Amino acid sequence: MSDRLLEEFPPVSTAQWEEVIHKDLKGADYNKKLVWRSDEGIAVKPYYRSEDLAGLAVDVAPGAFPYRRGARASNQWRIRETVRATGIEEARQQAGQALAAGAEEIEFVIAPGGLQLSSPEDVARLTADLDCPVHFAAGAQAGALLPLLARSLPHNLEGSLDYDPLPEGETPDAEIGILAERAPAFRPVLVRAHAFGDVGATAVQELGYGLAAAIAYMEALTGLGMPAAKAARVLAFAFSAGSSFFFEISKLRAARLLWARAAEAFGVPKEDARAVIHSRSSLWNKTIYDPYSNLLRGTTEAMSAAMGGCDSLWVAPFDLAYRETEDFSRRLARNTQLILKHEAWLDRAVDPAGGSYYVEVLTDALAREAWRLMQEVESAGGFRKAWADGTISAAIARSRTNKEAAVSSRRRTIVGTNQYPDAQDRALERLAREPEDRITPRAAEVFEEIRLRTERHAAAGGRVPVFLLMEIGNPVMRSARSNFSANLFRCAGFDVRIETFTDSAAAAERAAAEGADAVVLCSSDEEYPEIARVVCPRARVPVIVAGFPKDTVPALREAGVADFVHVRADAAETLRAWQERLGVSSNQ
């Protein structure tokens, strides 16, 4: 039976595929129509064949060096819960509740005004009877916490501390070696690559700069006299999980490959060159409007991280961007992973994306570009210098600016924020409490600031501008342009009303009435000159044309058209301009 099926579906060569594609394109540019470039500049083809994998070591088994397909022979990642508390007993209570509800490891946030550990007794009380990995997110206080942990952690405790061994002008703390001896399963140095992704870095930058940081950490640790293998065992990595699904899967695969090669160059034995990776939901793409969309974002991010082979995973609660998270949102975040484990069974398949031509090629492309970036950093003096002189920050800022421009022009969609907004949604009341983490910058902020400006204006007693969309003429064009315009103006929180008219005279009569702050003509390019000639003289408010009929733009302006809204215009700039024109105050 199988032989007969193969006979019915003979092999198709790449040349045959290409011939059909070029025929269907009818002379259109192949690269412009079918090949797209990612933020990293990687060209993504419309399809891949087996020959694209030539030279790639895709047949390595999971758990085998260089760990492209995973650092272990299972996919049992651990669900991490973040605990914020002001006292040890409160922290222990929250940790116990999280573990009982399905969490598998705990991260305690050590922060000014929050949880503090000042003695070995404090550490003992906090970690007593916690039969799970324990992590400490201490930030700037990690250096001060390190000596305490080095003298008080239980011997068998697994976990990590986000200690940076490269503070300017200092050498790594020798306490790292003491801690490594006391708790060999504990990793006190964290390569915080996720911090780059959370502020708009590309996947290549997150990988390349993260690798450069790890190399600098290794140099610092071995400079203390620590053997390379031992230095590698004190390192852990944290990467963000963003919205580009296949790129995120490939990023974790590339991260393991990169670190294995870098560790090998230090003389680290292969069994110690496994990257321990904690994956965190990206904060860059979270929103305050349509906040339940953050649940969907968190779900796809968790899927990509799990399929990419992370060792542990934290999913951001959906409300983290605008308030202190609550039990409900934390439970949903935790349950996202439980469902992926117990219902989707993602923990039962090791490297499920392995062998996909697309994912394998992306893994290789990301690894090559990240390695090249790391080499640039090294040739310019290393990570410490590049970080201190602002080279890394400037490069990430350029990437962030490019991403923000794509959001501003709506070339990149953020559902519920710059596309498909919920007209009834109000976010101002959600901002009454300060969020746990100031998640800035975020991609959505440019549109959130516009819409919040409208909300604050209304809360101060101002009028919310009303845009009357007039559908006239060609049914297909008027409907398409009406939908586009309604979608655009609702992104600013404006009141949008849609009416259909049989002719220009009826529309002109309506435009002469009270009630709207602006009129938007929605029709076809051919019909606009006549409609504008009739409507503009009688309108009491500015008249806008949906579209940009370049051949008649001068005539339309002469007829009285005030503006044109279309896909090539910067949406955020357009909305801000109309807020200014209609008196929506920015000083509330």
Side-chain angles (χ1 to χ4, degrees), residues 481 524-526 528-529 532 536 543-566 568:
R481 284 174 163 167
S524 65
D525 289 359
E526 296 77 15
Y528 276 140
C536 288
V543 175
I544 302 167
V545 162
F548 193 75
K550 59 181 180 181
D551 293 336
T552 57
V553 164
L556 291 170
R557 289 197 183 279
E558 187 175 346
V561 172
D563 197 6
F564 299 84
V565 293
H566 52 94
R568 292 181 299 278

Side-chain angles (χ1 to χ4, degrees), residues 419-558:
Q419 292 277 21
Y420 320 116
D422 179 357
Q424 306 305 315
D425 193 15
R426 300 291 182 270
L428 192 58
E429 61 189 31
R430 299 188 193 121
L431 305 181
R433 288 188 293 168
E434 194 70 27
E436 297 163 355
D437 292 313
R438 291 183 176 273
I439 309 176
T440 55
R442 290 180 293 109
E445 283 186 310
V446 60
F447 277 89
E448 290 172 350
E449 290 168 358
I450 291 170
R451 193 163 176 181
L452 284 171
R453 175 175 172 176
T454 301
E455 281 198 52
R456 292 188 178 102
H457 177 75
R463 171 184 168 84
V464 174
V466 176
F467 283 71
L468 175 60
L469 276 50
M470 293 184 163
E471 297 182 344
I472 315 168
N474 185 304
V476 174
M477 293 304 299
R478 77 189 186 196
S479 177
R481 284 174 163 167
S482 174
N483 287 337
F484 170 85
S485 302
N487 190 26
L488 172 66
F489 289 115
R490 283 172 179 154
C491 287
F494 296 154
D495 186 355
V496 174
R497 301 172 189 176
I498 304 172
E499 296 181 20
T500 303
F501 300 90
T502 56
D503 54 46
S504 301
E509 183 177 347
R510 176 67 179 87
E514 299 287 346
D517 295 281
V519 165
V520 184
L521 304 181
C522 303
S523 188
S524 65
D525 289 359
E526 296 77 15
E527 295 172 288
Y528 276 140
E530 174 61 21
I531 296 171
R533 184 185 64 80
V534 175
V535 172
C536 288
R538 299 196 60 188
R540 293 171 176 259
V541 295
V543 175
I544 302 167
V545 162
F548 193 75
K550 59 181 180 181
D551 293 336
T552 57
V553 164
L556 291 170
R557 289 197 183 279
E558 187 175 346

Side-chain angles (χ1 to χ4, degrees), residues 172-249:
D173 199 318
E175 302 284 353
I176 293 175
I178 298 172
L179 181 53
E181 291 294 331
R182 181 182 182 91
F186 192 84
R187 294 177 179 258
V189 177
L190 182 67
V191 180
R192 291 175 283 187
H194 73 284
F196 303 132
D198 281 343
V199 295
T202 66
V204 166
Q205 288 174 325
E206 190 173 353
L207 286 168
Y209 293 141
L211 181 62
I215 290 171
Y217 292 176
M218 284 290 289
E219 292 172 341
L221 294 170
T222 54
L224 286 174
M226 185 180 292
K230 186 175 181 180
R233 289 195 298 270
V234 305
L235 289 182
F237 294 81
F239 287 96
S240 67
S243 58
S244 186
F245 187 71
F246 291 104
F247 271 75
E248 295 303 324
I249 295 173

Side-chain angles (χ1 to χ4, degrees), residues 359-439:
V359 170
E360 296 293 0
V361 171
L362 281 185
T363 299
D364 184 65
L366 288 173
R368 288 180 182 277
E369 291 301 309
W371 189 268
R372 180 192 56 78
L373 181 59
M374 176 274 293
Q375 289 178 317
E376 289 180 3
V377 172
E378 289 298 300
S379 64
F383 179 82
R384 186 195 293 245
K385 180 178 182 299
W387 182 254
D389 66 18
T391 298
I392 292 175
S393 298
I396 293 175
R398 288 192 294 271
S399 297
R400 178 171 65 246
T401 297
N402 291 336
K403 288 185 176 183
E404 289 171 342
V407 170
S408 182
S409 62
R410 301 204 298 181
R411 288 182 284 111
R412 176 163 300 169
T413 295
I414 303 178
V415 173
T417 299
N418 74 342
Q419 292 277 21
Y420 320 116
D422 179 357
Q424 306 305 315
D425 193 15
R426 300 291 182 270
L428 192 58
E429 61 189 31
R430 299 188 193 121
L431 305 181
R433 288 188 293 168
E434 194 70 27
E436 297 163 355
D437 292 313
R438 291 183 176 273
I439 309 176

